[in-house]
Every structure is written in C-alpha cells, then in structure tokens.
Amino acid sequence: MSFFGDDFVVPTFAAFEIGDGQRRSTWPATMPSERGPEPRPDWVVTSADAVDTELGIVKSGKEADVWLLERAVPDVVASVSGARSVILAAKRYRGAETSDFHRSASYTEGRRVRNTRDMRAMSRKSAYGREVAAGQWAAAEFAGLCAAWTAGVPVPYPVQLSGTEILMEFIGDAGAGVAAPRLASAALTPAELESCFEQVVEIMHRFALAGTAHGDLSPYNLLVHEGRVVVIDLPQLVDVIGNPNGLDLLERDVRNVCTWFLRRGLDSDPEEIFAELCADAFQAPARW
C-alpha cells in the first residue's frame, strides 16, 4: 500500500482548456484522510480528468458561503470508470479578510490546538489566527460529517476536504439547482409535521448515542427533502461529556426543537426527551 492509499490516482490530464469559473478537479490532490468514508456512493466522481465548474452561490453567511458546483468528466475524455458528472455543494469558510466567526468558545472547550503559536494567534484574533480558525472549523465540520454519515445520521455525504473548502452532497433538486427548503420554511401538512418531529428526535438520539450533540440545532439547519429530514452545519459538534458546556448545549437543542414544533401545534415533553438523550450520552460505548 502506498503512502497515499490504494485508491490514489496519478493525474493524467487530458488536453482540453479550462474556462472561466472552472478548475481541474481537486480530488487527486487530497489525502485519504481528506476524503469521505467508504464505501463511497456510486455518484462520487473520482476521475483525475474531471473539471469543477462554478454554477452560482446557494447561500452566503458570516462564516462561510455555499456554492453550487458541477464535477464532470469532459466529453473529450474517451473512457473513464465510475460516475461522469455530479452536482455538489461547496462550503467555503471565509478567509482572514472577510471572516466573521461568531461561534462561542463554549463549543470548543475540551478541544486542543497542538500548535501553541496557532492557539495564541486565535486568541488574539489576528489575521493569521482567523485563517487558522477557518481551517479548523472546516476540518471539524468535515470530521463531524464523516462520523455522522458512518453512524447513520442523515447528513449530506462529505465528498472531500480541501483547505477551507468542504465538498458535499447537494440536497435538493440538482437538475434545477434548487436547494431543499429548511424546516423553518417548509410547507408541511400536520402528518408531515409529525413525521419531521419524529425524525428530528431520532437525529438527536443518534448524536447522543455517540456521546455528542449538534450544539446549534434549530429549524434553520434542518433540511426537508422528499419527506426526509437532513441535518447540516456541524462544525460545532459537541462532546456532551468532555465539554463542560455539553449538557447545556444538548438541553438547548431540545428546547429549540420542541419550542418550534409547539408553535405549530405539535406538543411534546422536552424534559423527557432531554432525560432520554442524557441516558444515551452517558451510556455511549464510544465517542467520535
């Protein structure tokens, strides 16, 4: 086995021009640890001849922007194995000149930064420190997505991490380039609302069974696509036991969810749900 892994592909780029808003696929340059968990879905394009094409921005935020990107093998390439084209979501954490990280330090207690220079720069919030923070949040979210996917939590499949960019499965109508609605804005019948609530509670249980909590769960980071709830935005994933704020953040997740559904006529017992999640977390056999 080579240092790069058995599936490493030496790039052999075809002779075709790259246009505006395009780049050669960044897949061949990634390390195995920067690629999504195996077995990979069949739609993942791993050809070294693939080209990434920008299709426009989906969402702009304080910390990161999400772009629509097509990764495709050009027609001039005679033959390739595997998928030839896929629409992806590219989440790009902002650089030092534009970032506005508002994540509370309560999320990161218990996490360690090995490089003391990086730790000092982050506490001073210098330009270099903000660059380090952007890279760490991207890496934390990618790791969280990989662990969640492996544990069966409904999250977008994480394709790869490249610096401060995460490429992941696009949830929505790929052909029209329309993202799935957030739970907060989804038009739901009473039966659909109840189904969504049950799915969200199951999501919290799956996190808790791994000893974690989303930490910032709300109807704004839950997507509803074809009746299925998918959770997004995982950079602040919290170790319920290892983080001194873990139980408070777990309780807040439960309260946010139950309050939102209650306002739409679906009653629940947040204290009972919280107690069940705590039991899951304390009995978790292993942490991510």
Side-chain angles (χ1 to χ4, degrees), residues 9 28 74 89 98 113 127 129 135 182 185 244 265:
V9 178
T98 57
V113 179
R182 299 174 186 274
S185 58

Side-chain angles (χ1 to χ4, degrees), residues 9 20 23 40-41 57 63 83 93 98 106 114 152 164 198 205 213 226 262 288:
V9 178
D20 293 339
R23 69 185 184 193
R40 299 187 188 100
I57 194 164
E63 300 168 359
Y93 279 84
T98 57
S106 60
R114 293 184 180 179
T164 58
E198 292 171 354
H205 273 290
E226 297 179 346
L262 178 60
W288 292 348

Side-chain angles (χ1 to χ4, degrees), residues 167-180:
L167 290 184
M168 66 186 86
E169 177 185 4
F170 176 71
I171 306 297
D173 184 346
V178 178

Side-chain angles (χ1 to χ4, degrees), residues 87-110:
I87 301 296
L88 300 172
K91 184 171 184 178
R92 295 166 183 166
Y93 279 84
R94 293 175 176 270
E97 70 284 355
T98 57
S99 64
D100 182 18
F101 282 89
H102 69 272
R103 304 274 180 185
S104 167
S106 60
Y107 293 122
T108 56
E109 289 193 46

